[in-house]
Amino acid sequence: MNEVKDLNSKPLSVKEYLVVSSLLFALFFGAGNLIFPLHLGQLAGGHWLLATLGFLCTAVVLPLLSVLAISVTRSKGVYDIGLPLGSGFALTFMVLIHATIGPLFGTPRTATVPFSVGVEPLLPSNLSHVGLLVFSGLFFLVAFLLSYKESNIMKSVGKLLNPLFLLMLFAVFLLAFLSPMGSASSQVATEAYQNGSFFNGFLQGYNTMDALAGLAFGVTVVTAVNQLGKTSAKSNAKVTAKAGVLATGLIGVIYLVLVWIGATTLNKFKLSADGGVAFNQLMGHYMGSVGHALLATLLTLTCLTTAVGLVAAFAQDFHKHFPVLSYRVWLGLMCLASFTTANFGLDTIIQWSTPMLMFLYPFAMVLILLSVFSPLFNRDSYVYFFVVVFTTVPALFDMVGSFPPVVSQSSFGKALVSFQQSYLPFASAGMDWVVPAMVGLVIGLGFHFFRRSNVLETAK
């Protein structure tokens, strides 16, 4: 089969690379990317730097690797990443990823976070439910309109909304640098972060959902790069990889500053319940009531850019694999479902999203790493099979242990967690999947090289 040639044979300009990087940044960076690192800084206190290093592993390096996984394997989305294990597994994995970052948890959160943090404090308490209904309705209507034409996604997100968001964010950073609230290094860390700051920061990175989103956004990014004329798989992958390094590098710098700012806020405020409260306090300290209005605008902008990417990726992938419905019908269903889930409220969404993240992230991590290094073993399905099978049990344990008390504190839940803590290495750090996955990798590579040597012997 002849490979598709580039419609544009010239190298992309710096400006075009910046537009793709801006698109990737906007797709990754949502409300959770603002509030979780800020809260991490408060939790870690004087240990903020070590906690940041852990956070960067799962919130920056892993999303970058997910973009590189798309590039290395020349995939067009999350489905292709799971395809070495068969179409049934690939389709199931795709649906689970999109359901998690889509209508069940991730996409509704893009509306509930800006409302809860930026808008709800400005409303009378008796109007909060009506306010969420109206705000989320308007929010997903705008997301639908921005995503209605696939060709408009890069223009509306990469060229317009994202630069505006960055200007507002760096204005906040400038205030924090010019007049810091105090020393970050002198603050007392919470108990969990006094000895386990790195691994707790590592697990906090799950909340951003960016590694999962990176796999799902693949189809959106590939489409955008195709529009620049880079239509061959090789050149498309090269552009995506370069833009991914630039975008995730900038996100890493922003996280570093946010965690530091979070630690400094302890000089003025007590440990907050979540990063949203901390951000409200931060803006109120520097800008008063104007700060709250700015925060509402800031969060709405960044969440809208992420929502556009999520609903478009969902509609593109589902239209491709379930073509009975058009892209626009899937888009409408996604926005409607997300609007419905959003009105259950932010607390409920976060409470029930954690178990699914604890289950999916180990699979996402091993599949991303296997994809990045797949040229070393010819993307052999045996390697994938053993790694994923050995990852399944600890992932299930992690999911049960992180359910709300109605499940995790039941006799079944307690028995499972007790077994997990007793027999699986690194379970207390939430990393109990690592050793089983490594065992599966060794077995899988053993099968791969044994089969390859047999083939070579037969060929002789």
Side-chain angles (χ1 to χ4, degrees):
M1 183 182 290
N2 294 325
E3 184 175 330
V4 177
K5 294 183 179 180
D6 288 332
L7 294 178
N8 174 19
S9 58
K10 297 179 181 178
L12 294 187
S13 65
V14 173
K15 182 181 178 181
E16 287 172 318
Y17 268 110
L18 287 176
V19 169
V20 178
S21 298
S22 181
L23 170 65
L24 267 167
F25 177 93
L27 294 176
F28 276 130
F29 207 90
N33 306 77
L34 281 173
I35 64 175
F36 289 121
L38 198 68
H39 193 228
L40 176 62
Q42 289 193 323
L43 293 169
H47 296 176
W48 69 273
L49 187 56
L50 192 57
T52 302
L53 293 177
F55 186 80
L56 292 179
C57 288
T58 46
V60 172
V61 176
L62 197 59
L64 172 59
L65 289 175
S66 71
V67 174
L68 294 180
I70 296 291
S71 301
V72 169
T73 58
R74 301 184 183 184
S75 302
K76 293 186 178 180
V78 62
Y79 176 85
D80 292 346
I81 293 295
L83 200 53
L85 287 166
S87 58
F89 175 88
L91 194 62
T92 301
F93 186 63
M94 185 200 80
V95 170
L96 286 174
I97 293 288
H98 274 301
T100 302
I101 65 173
L104 292 182
F105 306 117
T107 309
R109 198 174 71 181
T110 61
T112 55
V113 168
F115 175 78
S116 300
V117 176
V119 178
E120 191 174 17
L122 307 175
L123 298 176
S125 57
N126 63 323
L127 292 179
S128 60
H129 292 298
V130 175
L132 177 59
L133 187 72
V134 173
F135 179 86
S136 59
L138 291 173
F139 182 92
F140 285 113
L141 176 61
V142 173
F144 175 81
L145 294 174
L146 288 174
S147 311
Y148 190 73
K149 289 187 177 180
E150 295 180 69
S151 60
N152 287 341
I153 294 173
M154 183 164 64
K155 180 180 179 181
S156 60
V157 175
K159 293 184 179 180
L160 178 62
L161 294 178
N162 191 50
L164 183 58
F165 159 70
L166 283 175
L167 284 174
M168 298 174 71
L169 181 63
F170 283 114
V172 175
F173 285 178
L174 183 63
L175 288 171
F177 277 117
L178 292 176
S179 181
M181 293 186 192
S183 170
S185 60
S186 62
Q187 302 308 308
V188 178
T190 56
E191 184 179 352
Y193 284 82
Q194 289 177 6
N195 296 311
S197 52
F198 178 86
F199 285 112
N200 277 290
F202 187 96
L203 294 176
Q204 282 290 322
Y206 286 13
N207 288 317
T208 66
M209 300 190 189
D210 280 348
L212 308 183
L215 296 175
F217 287 151
V219 63
T220 304
V221 177
V222 168
T223 300
V225 175
N226 279 339
Q227 290 165 11
L228 296 174
K230 296 301 178 182
T231 46
S232 74
K234 183 178 180 180
S235 58
N236 192 298
K238 187 177 179 181
V239 171
T240 302
K242 286 185 176 180
V245 170
L246 183 60
T248 54
L250 177 58
I251 291 173
V253 172
I254 292 173
Y255 284 155
L256 185 67
V257 177
L258 283 172
V259 178
W260 170 77
I261 292 175
T264 65
T265 62
L266 295 174
N267 288 280
K268 298 287 184 181
F269 304 103
K270 294 181 179 179
L271 176 64
S272 60
D274 57 64
V277 173
F279 226 116
N280 250 319
Q281 293 171 338
L282 172 71
M283 298 301 290
H285 172 79
Y286 284 115
M287 304 182 69
S289 57
V290 175
H292 293 296
L294 180 61
L295 177 62
T297 307
L298 182 69
L299 284 175
T300 302
L301 277 175
T302 184
C303 287
L304 187 58
T305 60
T306 304
V308 167
L310 287 170
V311 297
F314 179 96
Q316 287 168 333
D317 263 357
F318 272 66
H319 170 57
K320 179 180 178 180
H321 297 285
F322 306 102
V324 66
L325 298 179
S326 69
Y327 164 80
R328 291 171 180 174
V329 171
W330 278 119
L331 186 68
L333 290 173
M334 168 65 163
C335 291
L336 182 62
S338 299
F339 162 74
T340 303
T341 306
N343 281 275
F344 283 98
L346 179 61
D347 290 342
T348 302
I349 292 171
I350 292 177
Q351 185 181 39
W352 285 97
S353 66
T354 302
M356 186 59 75
L357 291 176
M358 294 299 289
F359 175 69
L360 282 179
Y361 250 88
F363 289 111
M365 283 188 272
V366 298
L367 286 173
I368 288 169
L369 291 171
L370 286 171
S371 297
V372 170
F373 295 104
S374 60
L376 299 177
F377 53 89
N378 298 323
R379 218 180 180 196
D380 190 337
S381 59
Y382 274 91
V383 180
Y384 278 79
F385 173 79
F386 282 107
V387 173
V388 168
V389 166
F390 276 75
T391 303
T392 301
V393 173
L396 286 170
F397 284 172
D398 286 339
M399 179 177 67
V400 173
S402 58
F403 267 121
V406 66
V407 176
S408 60
Q409 296 303 309
S410 66
S411 56
F412 170 74
K414 287 181 178 179
L416 216 59
V417 170
S418 176
F419 178 86
Q420 174 194 29
Q421 296 292 329
S422 300
Y423 295 101
L424 291 180
F426 311 121
S428 59
M431 304 290 289
D432 52 331
W433 57 272
V434 173
V435 172
M438 292 300 295
V439 171
L441 178 63
V442 170
I443 296 174
L445 288 175
F447 265 82
H448 168 72
F449 290 113
F450 177 75
R451 289 169 65 237
R452 192 174 73 170
S453 65
N454 278 352
V455 169
L456 292 175
E457 286 294 329
T458 303
K460 289 179 181 179

